[in-house]
Amino acid sequence: MALRDETGPYFGEFGGRYVPESLVEALDELSEAWELAKLDPAFRAELDALLKDYVGRPSVVTEAQRFARHAGGARILLKREDLNHTGSHKINNVLGQALLTKRIGKTRVIAETGAGQHGVATATAAALFGLDCVIYMGEVDTERQALNVARMRLLGAEVIPVTTGSRTLKDAINDAMRDWVTNVEDTNYIFGTVAGPHPFPAMVRDLQKIIGEEAREQVLALTGRLPDAVAACVGGGSNAMGIFHAFLDDTAVGLYGFEAAGEGMDTLRHAATISRGRPGVLHGARTFLLQDEDGQTVESHSISAGLDYPGVGPEHSWLASIGRATYRGVTDAAAMDALRLLSRTEGIIPAIESSHALAGALELGRELGQDAVVLVNLSGRGDKDMETAGRYFDLIDAGAEQS
Amino acid sequence: MSAVADVIRTRVDAGSGALVGYLPVGFPTFDESVDAAVAIAQSGVDVIELGLPYSDPVMDGPVIQAATQQALARGFRLSHGFEAVRRITEQVSVPVLLMTYWNPVLSYGVERFADDLVDAGGAGLITPDLIPDEAEEWLAASERTGLDRVFLAAPSSSDARLVRAVEVSRGFVYAVSTMGITGARSDVDSAARGLVARLRDAGVEHTCVGLGISTAQQVREVLDYADGAIVGSALVSALSNGGVDAVASVAADLATGTGRRG
Ligand SMILES: Cc1ncc(COP(=O)(O)O)c(C=O)c1O
């Protein structure tokens, strides 16, 4: 069977549904609705129209020639998800799930968010479709992504800062699940990444795979061949699965996921789930996760809120276990250097999350050498990160760096 | 074969039903959590549901979350769970079920966990985030060791799923009274009565109702149609606010709802 044909609930020994019984009915309902919707031409047409006229798809591919000079002479092609409406790949998934919400007749949506991009996308779709919207966001993240909190509120969503546990993405997911268990009758949970219980990993992947499908054609048209490597950052893993999927059965194409190595892979402060974790159960799926000896989830650390997650989607765990994709770490410092480099060489300010993929692409280019083609998923733009970047590079008060 | 089922049967035969009391290990301290469990057993609780603190407790409301988070911050380890079971069962004869999310068990090793629980004198497990569909390993380990396995049934569960929960559970089936998480509620949902009736149609022998029960009056109402009433947050609040004496007195009051003590 082709690797592209996997539909869940299991990806090898990963995936499944480790959830309270109270959620099973809602998950079954979503699974069935999704199976029907994805085969329904009317649903597909409505989603395609939104992706074209509202999001601005297809997103372009930009060759980064000046940036590529730092990558050992390889050609670097950027898939520009940063140009989508709302500024990241997250909107692709949200519009599909929001349409599905209408289809199953629910009137309220909830979501978790880390960087705020998924929350902004969900709040946007809720505004567009007239749905009530509540976003759970770890208190730490509401501080480091304050701009996105303001955006969500302006769009009419209620943002609830989560104060339990590590006060980041994983705890926001816990609270969103608690809300869902309580309000499942009228509420749909729009999950933001390819993690969680079935059907989320497969459904979110199905909604994001358009990234790779477009990019595969675009790279063929531009270079006359397939890329040697595809690079993406991995938080929960949705932008990575989205760009990997079209290439899964192209065995000559190397697939590379870059996890946040934070302050270093050998410190305790990172979010390198596949590289440093071991299999277990978190947020409804069996997958790799950062955990201690007792199976307690260990807090992750990354300068990037969107990658600061101790779990990862089960399909990535499977791709890692069968050796089809390779996962590596990129430190905060390497990511921030790549962020500044792309800004200065190409005039594109990337999200800190996406900067992990860019740093990884520099590394891959040097390894693969002259004329290699590296396709990078530029999953989002850096507007939301200006405060972090301003502080990191000391741009705001001193101004000296702003030449 | 199940001590839990025996206790429940005895209480039902006597004309009422069982009181199941939840407390987490390690809150407010390890010793006090053991003393509190012993005290509620001596005050009329028939079955103890001992919670293992976990980093991501998606079924728990604010009161239990706060308690288990504090236990974790003070250094709770899984080994303390087995030790607590041992210390409680040495002092009182009530059966002790562990309530645990699945990852700690998986991480420890399902077979090894089962063996160590048997050694400590535990009766079995209540598994809030393990559904029968994913429970193959645990079914095998509990079959081998004879431990009880309590699965949950929800008002939203289909008839087929209720039948499955009844088939695989041993000890009792945990009927979730309302759609939601743990925490005291002023009304125990009428959904509970309907769910218990559907579980009876599915052939259940014993089912206990939990989530939201906090008063003797609610215990009495639930025992009108169910075989047991499960109380958690109300006990944890009492322990948190007034220590071991307070939790014992709240347990004694709740036990009046079973019609046995006053
Ligand atoms: C721009 C961007 N890229 C990547 C991510 C990480 O998510 P995922 O791994 O699901 O793509 C986020 C999450 O917030 C994001 O905002």
Side-chain angles (χ1 to χ4, degrees):
Chain A
M1 192 168 89
L3 299 179
R4 294 193 66 190
D5 295 340
E6 292 294 337
T7 57
Y10 301 100
F11 299 93
E13 61 180 288
F14 302 101
R17 277 184 182 170
Y18 294 82
V19 293
E21 173 67 23
S22 307
L23 285 180
V24 172
E25 192 61 24
L27 292 169
D28 277 344
E29 178 186 32
L30 263 187
S31 302
E32 274 163 43
W34 177 241
E35 290 307 315
L36 291 174
K38 76 180 180 191
L39 298 174
D40 177 358
F43 180 89
R44 193 68 245 177
E46 197 176 355
L47 181 56
D48 285 347
L50 281 168
L51 291 173
K52 175 170 168 286
D53 303 327
Y54 191 70
V55 177
R57 302 206 73 88
S59 65
V60 298
V61 164
T62 302
E63 177 149 17
Q65 288 179 343
R66 277 168 42 76
F67 180 77
R69 286 186 203 147
H70 301 263
R75 294 180 71 177
I76 305 269
L77 307 180
L78 307 177
K79 178 62 173 167
R80 300 290 305 277
E81 294 298 303
D82 61 316
L83 296 178
N84 293 342
H85 179 47
T86 71
S88 81
H89 68 293
K90 297 287 182 186
I91 191 80
N92 303 328
N93 165 46
V94 163
L95 288 175
Q97 289 197 54
L99 280 181
L100 201 62
T101 305
K102 280 206 316 188
R103 215 178 144 101
I104 59 180
K106 294 190 175 175
T107 54
R108 176 176 177 266
V109 291
I110 56 172
E112 82 296 344
T113 197
Q117 288 303 103
H118 176 59
V120 166
T122 304
T124 299
L128 182 64
F129 294 134
L131 301 166
D132 291 331
C133 180
V134 173
I135 305 292
Y136 290 91
M137 187 171 190
E139 195 177 43
V140 169
D141 295 334
T142 61
E143 285 157 16
R144 61 180 160 176
Q145 309 276 212
L147 196 60
N148 271 345
V149 175
R151 290 170 81 194
M152 290 183 266
R153 290 189 173 140
L154 194 58
L155 289 160
E158 181 187 354
V159 179
I160 301 185
V162 175
T163 55
T164 50
S166 58
R167 297 179 294 133
T168 60
L169 181 55
K170 99 176 165 66
D171 309 285
I173 295 175
N174 292 338
D175 262 10
M177 290 242 194
R178 292 183 186 111
D179 180 318
W180 203 27
V181 179
T182 310
N183 300 302
V184 64
E185 210 152 302
D186 71 345
T187 298
N188 191 28
Y189 184 2
I190 297 192
F191 200 70
T193 190
V194 291
H198 181 71
F200 291 116
M203 176 168 64
V204 176
R205 188 248 357 247
D206 288 345
L207 289 165
Q208 291 291 5
K209 71 186 167 85
I210 190 168
I211 302 173
E213 287 167 356
E214 287 174 5
R216 195 173 179 281
E217 293 307 309
Q218 289 165 317
V219 173
L220 276 172
L222 188 70
T223 67
R225 64 186 188 87
L226 291 175
D228 298 290
V230 178
C233 66
V234 179
S238 66
N239 87 90
M241 265 331 297
I243 200 162
F244 285 177
H245 194 255
F247 298 99
L248 283 182
D249 296 301
D250 298 321
T251 46
V253 178
L255 304 175
Y256 295 87
F258 292 94
E259 304 187 303
E263 295 176 9
M265 297 282 260
D266 297 320
T267 69
L268 292 173
R269 296 178 62 83
H270 62 73
T273 307
I274 292 179
S275 309
R276 285 289 184 271
R278 63 187 169 90
V281 165
L282 178 66
H283 293 146
R286 187 177 165 94
T287 191
F288 275 82
L289 61 126
L290 299 177
Q291 55 183 322
D292 72 10
E293 246 183 284
D294 279 356
Q296 307 285 355
T297 311
V298 167
E299 286 181 21
S300 55
H301 290 278
S302 168
I303 192 169
S304 140
L307 304 185
D308 200 348
Y309 180 55
V312 68
E315 196 169 3
H316 285 293
S317 293
W318 173 62
L319 292 174
S321 72
I322 62 172
R324 177 61 190 101
T326 304
Y327 297 83
R328 299 181 181 177
V330 168
T331 62
D332 289 350
M336 293 308 286
D337 283 349
L339 182 149
R340 184 166 56 181
L341 185 64
L342 191 77
S343 302
R344 295 202 170 172
T345 54
E346 302 289 342
I348 299 171
I349 301 177
I352 300 178
E353 289 80 13
S354 322
S355 301
H356 288 70
L358 291 163
L362 294 173
E363 193 180 288
L364 287 173
R366 290 179 203 126
E367 288 167 24
L368 297 170
Q370 209 71 33
D371 302 326
V373 174
V374 180
L375 172 67
V376 185
N377 196 3
L378 194 63
S379 57
R381 67 177 85 125
D383 305 29
K384 69 183 176 60
D385 296 314
M386 287 327 297
E387 194 176 323
T388 305
R391 238 181 299 114
Y392 189 88
F393 293 119
D394 205 10
L395 303 177
I396 292 173
D397 286 326
E401 289 283 310
Q402 289 189 22
S403 54
Chain B
M1 268 304 288
S2 158
V4 171
D6 287 348
V7 168
I8 296 173
R9 192 175 303 111
T10 307
R11 297 306 181 215
V12 170
D13 289 349
S16 83
L19 178 62
V20 181
Y22 167 93
L23 286 173
V25 180
F27 176 80
T29 63
F30 177 79
D31 285 341
E32 284 168 289
S33 69
V34 169
D35 292 347
V38 169
I40 64 171
Q42 289 166 342
S43 306
V45 165
D46 300 303
V47 175
I48 288 179
E49 175 186 350
L50 198 61
L52 297 184
Y54 174 57
S55 53
D56 296 275
V58 291
M59 266 302 276
D60 287 313
V63 170
I64 293 177
Q65 275 183 60
T68 55
Q69 210 170 318
Q70 185 183 322
L72 286 169
R74 294 202 177 157
F76 168 79
R77 297 296 314 262
L78 280 186
S79 58
H80 302 170
F82 299 114
E83 183 57 24
V85 172
R86 182 171 291 114
R87 299 249 304 257
I88 295 162
T89 52
E90 276 166 9
Q91 295 177 68
V92 287
S93 62
V94 301
V96 178
L97 291 164
L98 283 183
M99 190 297 255
T100 178
Y101 291 88
W102 194 237
N103 197 52
V105 180
L106 205 57
S107 168
Y108 197 84
V110 178
E111 296 288 346
R112 180 177 159 229
F113 196 101
D115 287 333
D116 288 1
L117 183 56
V118 170
D119 282 351
L125 293 183
I126 300 175
T127 49
D129 65 347
L130 186 72
I131 55 176
D133 318 48
E134 306 286 1
E136 205 178 312
E137 239 188 312
W138 167 229
L139 295 183
S142 50
E143 227 30 61
R144 180 178 64 76
T145 53
L147 286 168
D148 281 341
R149 46 188 188 235
V150 175
F151 289 93
L152 277 59
S156 61
S157 303
S158 66
D159 290 343
R161 293 193 64 79
L162 294 186
V163 168
R164 181 77 183 133
V166 169
E167 277 170 6
V168 298
S169 292
R170 186 161 57 211
F172 63 90
V173 172
Y174 191 130
V176 173
S177 67
T178 181
M179 295 303 285
I181 54 180
T182 60
R185 287 176 180 79
S186 50
D187 285 317
V188 174
D189 219 286
S190 64
R193 194 180 284 270
L195 175 57
V196 168
R198 290 174 62 222
L199 281 165
R200 300 274 186 232
D201 289 344
V204 78
E205 191 188 357
H206 294 137
T207 181
C208 301
V209 172
L211 296 201
I213 302 172
S214 62
T215 67
Q217 176 60 25
Q218 288 171 326
V219 170
R220 196 170 298 119
E221 281 165 21
V222 162
L223 293 185
D224 198 35
Y225 54 88
D227 308 305
I230 306 170
V231 180
S233 296
L235 293 172
V236 177
S237 289
L239 178 58
S240 175
N241 297 328
V244 173
D245 289 346
V247 77
S249 98
V250 167
D253 178 56
L254 288 164
T256 63
T258 67
R260 281 177 284 116
R261 289 168 202 245

